[in-house]
Amino acid sequence: MSTIKTLEDLNKAAKRGLESIIPSKTKIMVGMSTSGLASGAQEVYDALAAEIKKRKLDVVLCKTSAMGMDCIEPLVEVIQPNRPRLAYSRMTAKKVPEVINQVAKGVVDGFKPTYRMDEEDYLCLNEKKPYFKGPLPNDVKDIPTISNVDFYKKQVKIATRNCGMINFESIDEYVAKGGYFSLYKALTQMKPEQIIDEIIASGLRGRGGGGFPAGVKWQTCRRAHGDIKYVLCNGDEGDPGAYMDRSVMEGDPHSIIEGMIIGAFAIGATDGFIYVRNEYPLAVANLQRALDQARAYGFLGNNIFNSGFNFDIKIGKGAGAFVCGESTALMTSLEGKAGEPRAKYIHTVEYGLWNRPSNLNNVETWANVPAIISRGAKWFSSIGCKNNSGTKVFSLVGKVNNIGLVEVPMGIPLKDIIYEIGGGIPGGKKFKAVQTGGPSGGCIPKSLEDISVDFDALWEAGSMMGSGGMIVMDETTCMVDIARYFIDFLEFESCGKCVPCREGVMRMNEILHDICGGKGRPGDIELLESMSKGIVDGALCALGSTAPNPVLSTLKYFRDEYTAHVRDKKCPAGVCKALIRFSVSDEKCTGCGVCLKKCPTECISGEKKKTHVIDQTECIKCGVCKESCKFDAIIVE
Amino acid sequence: MVSFVIDGKNVQAEGGAMLLNVARQNGIVIPTLCAHDTVARSGACRLCVVEVTKGKRTRIVTSCLYPVDEGIVVSTKTERVMNVRSLVMQLLMARCPESQLLKDMAKEMGIEPQPSFRVETDKGKCILCRLCVKTCEDVVGVSAIGLSRRGKDKIVGPPFMEDSVTCVGCGACAYVCPTDHIVMESTDGRRKIWGRAFRMKACDTCGRYFAPVDQLKWISKKTGTPLSELSVCLSCK
Ligand SMILES: Cc1cc2nc3c(=O)[nH]c(=O)nc-3n(C[C@H](O)[C@H](O)[C@H](O)COP(=O)(O)O)c2cc1C
Ligand code: SF4
Ligand code: SF4
Ligand code: FES
């Protein structure tokens, strides 16, 4: 690898990359991100390698990351000369020979791909390249294109543009997708102020939760006094169940690095740090490889693109505390001290890491930057809605059919995400609410399912965007229990520095445990409310000041559920064990005896063909009887 | 100099001065538990909160860490402020039911314990104000004690809660502790603190035990004064 100093060099790398993205021979790709590996992608990869060797096929086998649809992984994709790209889902080692058969023959028959791609988007080049010329081969005509798959139909990919599309181990493939051309443009054709103006004009807001305008932050940091300045990337991602940032770090590390170099040039920073949790080993490895490659090409180091600009990036590893995602705690942790927040009355853009001006942005925020520089502020702000330009990546989990990572334009109605992209609620159950914004976010009830998904509307509804967690809940979810679950998490993650959060959240948790355990007292709801106010106002950092949110938002929309627990000692959703009772319906019970056999404590009795009875003193409320009864005869009240 | 309003009164102060200090200079009472003149402030207790309006934005800030600025309007006794203070006091009283200091302060502030909070039994009188830790680190300079664990399990003490090797037995932590959580016992030539016993040095002149030998050795090492010159107590010097 020789260094790249000119546009000509860059074009050469792009050419090499394109040859490896769409080679002149067959290429098979396996989705090997953390989610792919968890569903068995390594086995599939090994089986493919063995089968290819056995049949002596001339095939390129390589790794890519995930495109987002976790529920169909492991995913294997095949690109063959002059044929559309085909995606085989839910792959197993057993299905490998069949796929290889099709590859050898060059036609689909038998095991069907889930979707096909006729062309590939080169976003940063503003270009679409077809996989084949001429008419569509007959054998793939009835395979839907990806744009006809419900999960992908309404998605718009900017931050995750390359995830699952390129081999994350290849910098040339990234360059072929238009990567580092934005860096070239920024360093050789733009002034730092111009870059900042462009980012301000694009309306890009921080994707880590706060939604602060990125360009304004850069500008303040540029204007702050000091010769040494830092740009930082927040890859802590502590929200349980969230993995948007992990996917970008694993699948397209160069997009973050390129964004950071452009930002550093605009701000006048000399060093950069990417803060990643230790629990993300693959992200760390892929970022490290990418940094080494970028350094070898001269995108990091001295005199980048002969511009005279010097900059380098290091990785800082965190121990995986949720609070370390908070800006001041992240910086203290990077300094090698215990990750505890401190007061921010003087901003970190002025006094941050080692008391020097520091600009922190989220992974996704950085990944958007090269696209904005390449396509322009006007293009970016044309996507999304008022004051909320661009897209947002969400991890869609919970009681929804299609689980996975989705990138949607800001302002999309919530119901589109749940019913169309998510494919609705499994088991014919009713949608009840969705938790957005992570543990300290809030619940949006079904009655607000038309809400526009953007920073401001979610905030108004008592929740927030957060970093993009989205947990769907159905009618079998108890909202008091949900609030307790999140408060439990926050109690565990509180750093313990300040009184309102350390002691207050713990007391709220005690009260919620009591309420769910049938020991709620009159006045508990009001006490939770007044404590919430005190904690919101009094806590030192945003972990504490947003910690009451799960309680406040569930109280706002589901107060009657709290009242039912406290006053009537009932759990309307039938979840809180201390408040429910299982019995058998005289009308529906056929006396088949299935429940009697399944009950682990053997507390169900009854003769064949006669209504069975549950002994309340022995019942442990495990719900096995209800699950096993075919006649829906078990009553929960 | 900057001018601003605090509880309706026009005041002037050096720009960047801490709001708590300026308020106190102007005779305004703000309760505190974790601010002490000798060490850097941490903002741990949150008792010193006040309401500040700057431009269009009104928010609650901790006065001990808030640098004053031109034109701000400060109110130290609003309902929001009092709600935070009473929550903090109630939470601390439930944590440290034995603390006389907390009882006295609460009484003065007119705050009753919250009966719904379960009373703790294993936290002693420690409110985790960190004054001991900071004093040991910044003033004494030995960092013999620190904070360990996270959240509600956070505790203060020697590393891994074993006998501290670096402790010199000076007792500065016990002296600075606002709630008298740290127990220091002195009996005939021995002082016990943080689970370790220290031999005391008797004054060469009056014979009174005045300091642990380890502390004198530490002072000698730090200041370069020969140990022999540290053998008389302050009153006999
Ligand atoms: C408790 C807590 C945890 C946070 N965790 C993260 C995180 O994991 N990732 C992140 O980017 N921002 C996180 N944030 C927000 C950051 O403090 C900060 O606002 C953000 O990284 C700034 O980048 P942005 O402007 O690009 O969003 C967290 C904030 C708090 C209070
Ligand atoms: S609010 Fe919670 S996490 Fe933040 S400083 Fe206070 S105790 Fe630590
Ligand atoms: S022991 Fe005393 S000084 Fe140390 S943290 Fe606890 S209360 Fe504060
Ligand atoms: S005195 Fe200000 S936070 Fe404790």
Side-chain angles (χ1 to χ4, degrees):
Chain A
M1 265 193 203
S2 53
T3 53
I4 290 181
K5 290 287 181 195
T6 62
L7 191 58
E8 207 192 330
D9 297 343
L10 199 57
N11 277 323
K12 272 189 212 149
K15 198 159 165 271
R16 284 197 298 274
L18 196 59
E19 278 159 13
S20 96
I21 293 179
I22 309 179
S24 52
K25 57 182 168 186
T26 299
K27 170 170 152 183
I28 303 181
M29 297 192 280
V30 187
M32 306 269 276
S33 62
T34 298
S35 55
L37 292 172
S39 57
Q42 186 66 51
E43 249 174 85
V44 174
Y45 186 91
D46 295 343
L48 282 164
E51 190 72 18
I52 291 168
K53 201 171 160 201
K54 196 171 104 191
R55 304 223 201 161
K56 299 197 177 69
L57 295 175
D58 186 19
V59 165
V60 183
L61 177 65
C62 70
K63 298 169 185 174
T64 183
S65 68
M67 267 183 66
M69 201 168 175
D70 295 354
C71 47
I72 62 166
E73 280 188 293
L75 196 72
V76 167
E77 289 175 279
V78 175
I79 304 179
Q80 289 188 288
N82 237 8
R83 280 175 63 76
R85 171 170 173 156
L86 302 173
Y88 296 86
S89 60
R90 297 197 181 90
M91 278 294 294
T92 54
K94 251 188 167 160
K95 292 179 188 163
V96 161
E98 205 176 334
V99 170
I100 293 292
N101 264 341
Q102 299 187 15
V103 168
K105 278 192 257 162
V107 284
V108 171
D109 74 89
F111 182 47
K112 267 227 156 72
T114 308
Y115 56 83
R116 64 167 217 259
M117 275 184 258
D118 294 349
E119 55 181 18
E120 184 171 333
D121 193 10
Y122 287 63
L123 186 94
C124 288
L125 297 175
N126 194 11
E127 198 182 311
K128 287 188 168 48
K129 291 193 206 290
Y131 288 107
F132 60 96
K133 293 188 187 86
L136 181 67
N138 261 331
D139 61 308
V140 296
K141 274 200 172 126
D142 56 346
I143 298 164
T145 59
I146 187 162
S147 52
N148 281 320
V149 174
D150 283 338
F151 186 78
Y152 290 110
K153 234 184 239 171
K154 294 215 160 157
Q155 293 201 46
V156 174
K157 304 231 173 197
I158 301 176
T160 59
R161 56 191 176 274
N162 294 328
C163 291
M165 296 305 292
I166 59 170
N167 178 354
F168 50 74
E169 292 182 356
S170 162
I171 186 170
D172 287 344
E173 288 197 14
Y174 178 75
V175 174
K177 297 287 279 188
Y180 289 111
F181 281 86
S182 301
L183 178 66
Y184 177 80
K185 178 174 171 186
L187 262 52
T188 60
Q189 295 159 22
M190 293 173 89
K191 291 211 163 56
E193 292 80 6
Q194 241 180 313
I195 298 173
I196 290 178
D197 288 346
E198 194 71 14
I199 300 295
I200 293 178
S202 76
L204 174 67
R205 294 171 68 171
R207 302 302 198 235
F212 191 81
V216 176
K217 198 191 272 185
W218 293 15
Q219 191 167 53
T220 325
C221 196
R222 176 166 181 83
R223 289 179 182 163
H225 293 288
D227 297 335
I228 298 178
K229 293 179 186 177
Y230 301 116
V231 293
L232 313 173
C233 172
N234 194 339
D236 187 57
E237 193 160 64
D239 300 21
Y243 55 99
M244 301 74 58
D245 296 344
R246 186 189 74 200
S247 301
V248 180
M249 291 188 283
E250 286 180 0
D252 195 20
H254 285 291
S255 65
I256 306 162
I257 297 168
E258 187 183 3
M260 286 178 76
I261 311 172
I262 294 171
F265 176 69
I267 290 162
T270 46
D271 292 279
F273 292 91
I274 306 178
Y275 187 84
V276 200
R277 48 178 49 222
N278 252 332
E279 287 91 332
Y280 281 180
L282 194 57
V284 172
N286 292 3
L287 279 166
Q288 192 58 60
R289 182 190 306 106
L291 286 174
D292 294 342
Q293 292 169 339
R295 215 169 283 124
Y297 269 177
F299 301 150
L300 289 172
N302 289 341
N303 198 20
I304 304 166
F305 281 122
N306 286 330
S307 65
F309 176 60
N310 311 331
F311 177 71
D312 211 333
I313 300 176
K314 287 195 190 76
I315 295 177
K317 280 188 258 178
F322 178 60
V323 73
C324 285
E326 193 275 342
S327 54
T328 59
L330 182 146
M331 292 179 202
T332 344
S333 173
L334 270 180
E335 289 168 7
K337 297 181 242 170
E340 275 185 356
R342 58 172 173 76
K344 275 204 286 196
Y345 301 130
I346 303 172
H347 298 293
T348 48
V349 278
E350 279 158 39
Y351 289 93
L353 187 62
W354 291 298
N355 284 330
R356 297 200 169 108
S358 305
N359 182 94
L360 174 71
N361 279 118
N362 165 261
V363 164
E364 194 184 327
T365 316
W366 287 122
N368 272 298
V369 169
I372 296 171
I373 294 300
S374 136
R375 300 284 296 268
K378 218 165 150 197
W379 161 79
F380 190 74
S381 58
S382 73
I383 301 160
C385 62
K386 192 166 173 267
N387 295 328
N388 288 268
S389 305
T391 57
K392 178 77 194 84
V393 186
F394 291 97
S395 60
L396 185 63
V397 296
K399 303 282 178 56
V400 62
N401 279 314
N402 302 334
I403 283 173
L405 211 69
V406 305
E407 182 167 358
V408 287
M410 295 264 195
I412 188 174
L414 180 63
K415 60 169 194 281
D416 288 7
I417 299 183
I418 292 161
Y419 300 111
E420 295 183 35
I421 297 175
I425 315 297
K429 299 247 167 50
K430 282 201 207 88
F431 166 52
K432 183 169 184 178
V434 52
Q435 164 91 8
T436 69
S440 44
C443 288
I444 310 277
K446 178 174 167 44
S447 58
L448 293 180
E449 67 184 8
D450 290 322
I451 196 173
S452 149
V453 176
D454 65 62
F455 283 107
D456 311 307
L458 291 178
W459 186 256
E460 254 164 60
S463 183
M464 54 186 181
M465 180 80 88
S467 52
M470 205 172 254
I471 305 171
V472 182
M473 295 173 259
D474 69 10
E475 57 193 320
T476 63
T477 314
C478 165
M479 299 314 280
V480 188
D481 182 58
I482 278 291
R484 187 195 52 72
Y485 170 82
F486 287 116
I487 293 288
D488 213 49
F489 173 85
L490 292 162
E491 174 193 296
F492 181 75
E493 293 293 341
S494 161
C495 83
K497 180 171 182 177
C498 74
V499 177
C501 173
R502 181 187 69 232
E503 312 280 335
V505 174
M506 171 183 92
R507 298 298 173 187
M508 284 182 78
N509 199 7
E510 273 176 15
I511 296 168
L512 288 166
H513 269 275
D514 283 352
I515 294 178
C516 293
K519 288 180 278 182
R521 290 149 301 216
D524 273 358
I525 299 176
E526 293 72 18
L527 178 60
L528 283 173
E529 280 173 321
S530 89
M531 288 181 71
S532 295
K533 272 197 208 122
I535 297 172
V536 169
D537 278 340
L540 192 158
C541 83
L543 189 158
S545 65
T546 57
N549 270 354
V551 173
L552 290 173
S553 78
T554 47
L555 267 173
K556 182 169 175 179
Y557 299 114
F558 302 95
R559 199 182 181 93
D560 50 337
E561 281 191 41
Y562 280 83
T563 321
H565 282 72
V566 175
R567 193 189 56 202
D568 314 331
K569 304 283 181 258
K570 289 234 152 76
C571 174
V575 172
C576 299
K577 286 196 176 153
L579 299 174
I580 53 173
R581 186 174 173 272
F582 287 81
S583 59
V584 184
S585 155
D586 202 21
E587 249 168 67
K588 290 189 178 164
C589 177
T590 60
C592 71
V594 164
C595 60
L596 182 148
K597 282 190 209 110
K598 289 263 165 87
C599 173
T601 59
E602 298 176 1
C603 69
I604 304 178
S605 53
E607 284 169 40
K608 276 258 169 234
K609 299 202 176 142
K610 290 218 174 113
T611 305
H612 285 36
V613 186
I614 299 176
D615 178 357
Q616 294 300 328
T617 55
E618 296 288 317
C619 172
I620 55 163
K621 297 169 186 171
C622 64
V624 163
C625 53
K626 186 171 169 58
E627 277 162 35
S628 63
C629 179
K630 273 189 235 132
F631 309 99
D632 202 17
I634 306 288
I635 305 167
V636 186
E637 29 180 25
Chain B
M1 289 298 255
V2 295
S3 317
F4 63 98
V5 177
I6 178 161
D7 288 347
K9 204 165 118 183
N10 285 309
V11 298
Q12 289 211 320
E14 209 66 59
M18 289 302 146
L19 180 51
L20 174 69
N21 305 31
V22 181
R24 284 186 171 165
Q25 279 151 20
N26 284 279
I28 289 163
V29 178
I30 296 176
T32 59
L33 274 168
C34 71
H36 197 277
D37 287 341
T38 53
V39 290
R41 290 169 180 174
S42 66
C45 80
R46 321 305 288 169
L47 201 56
C48 68
V49 288
V50 297
E51 208 170 298
V52 169
T53 306
K54 186 175 185 175
K56 278 191 207 139
R57 184 169 178 213
T58 297
R59 59 175 174 159
I60 300 285
V61 304
T62 38
S63 60
C64 71
L65 287 167
Y66 190 84
V68 297
D69 203 354
E70 182 70 35
I72 57 169
V73 178
V74 184
S75 314
T76 69
K77 293 182 179 57
T78 65
E79 202 189 318
R80 268 173 88 185
V81 167
M82 290 309 169
N83 184 45
V84 175
R85 288 190 194 155
S86 80
L87 176 66
V88 166
M89 288 306 294
Q90 288 177 331
L91 291 169
L92 288 178
M93 282 192 281
R95 175 186 170 92
C96 309
E98 307 274 275
S99 167
Q100 193 56 43
L101 172 86
L102 293 176
K103 281 184 204 154
D104 294 346
M105 282 175 75
K107 198 168 165 203
E108 202 168 306
M109 295 163 74
I111 297 165
E112 296 286 328
Q114 168 55 255
S116 292
F117 295 165
R118 254 161 245 154
V119 168
E120 302 282 314
T121 51
D122 61 342
K123 302 282 194 287
K125 289 187 249 178
C126 178
I127 55 168
L128 292 172
C129 71
R130 316 170 161 232
L131 287 177
C132 55
V133 175
K134 294 212 164 240
T135 302
C136 187
E137 184 181 330
D138 298 347
V139 183
V140 187
V142 295
S143 294
I145 48 173
L147 293 153
S148 43
R149 303 195 199 138
R150 192 170 71 191
K152 63 174 182 180
D153 299 321
K154 205 166 201 112
I155 42 167
V156 62
F160 310 110
M161 292 303 129
E162 285 163 8
D163 297 353
S164 172
V165 268
T166 47
C167 179
V168 294
C170 72
C173 54
Y175 177 77
V176 80
C177 175
T179 58
D180 293 327
H181 171 73
I182 302 171
V183 187
M184 184 167 79
E185 286 165 4
S186 299
T187 41
D188 346 301
R190 290 207 161 258
R191 170 185 282 180
K192 267 176 131 173
I193 188 165
W194 295 118
R196 246 186 84 188
F198 292 88
R199 195 160 53 81
M200 298 293 281
K201 165 84 180 131
C203 172
D204 282 356
T205 312
C206 67
R208 197 172 57 89
Y209 291 116
F210 71 97
V213 177
D214 282 3
Q215 184 190 359
L216 296 174
K217 281 189 193 153
W218 168 247
I219 294 173
S220 161
K221 194 174 140 201
K222 204 165 82 165
T223 60
T225 321
L227 199 57
S228 54
E229 282 175 32
L230 297 168
S231 56
V232 271
C233 77
L234 272 183
S235 1
C236 296
K237 246 187 186 157

